[in-house]
Amino acid sequence: MTLIINGETKEFNDSLTLQNIITDLQIENKVMAAAVNMNIVKKDDWNSFIPKNDDKIELLQFVGGG
């Protein structure tokens, strides 16, 4: 399955959940929010949400500053 994550095309096995993808990318401690095709996916749903081929995923982290 091909996914576009934060603007980069990446290949994954079919049927991975959003949580599996975040874990595979080794960024589980950094991601605070996720959107698929411009729709927010609640963190409680990451374990059950399965992206489709060619979905555009934005994984967001919050950075403090001033």
Side-chain angles (χ1 to χ4, degrees), residues 46-60:
W46 291 2
N47 280 319
S48 60
F49 186 90
I50 299 174
K52 297 177 186 71
N53 193 48
D54 292 328
D55 274 352
K56 292 179 182 167
I57 300 174
E58 295 295 325
L59 301 174
L60 310 170

Side-chain angles (χ1 to χ4, degrees), residues 15-39:
S15 301
L16 287 180
T17 66
L18 187 56
Q19 182 64 56
N20 295 140
I21 291 166
I22 292 168
T23 301
D24 283 356
L25 293 171
Q26 298 179 344
I27 56 174
E28 60 266 40
N29 293 328
K30 298 178 184 177
V31 176
M32 302 298 290
V36 178
N37 300 323
M38 303 293 285
N39 295 308

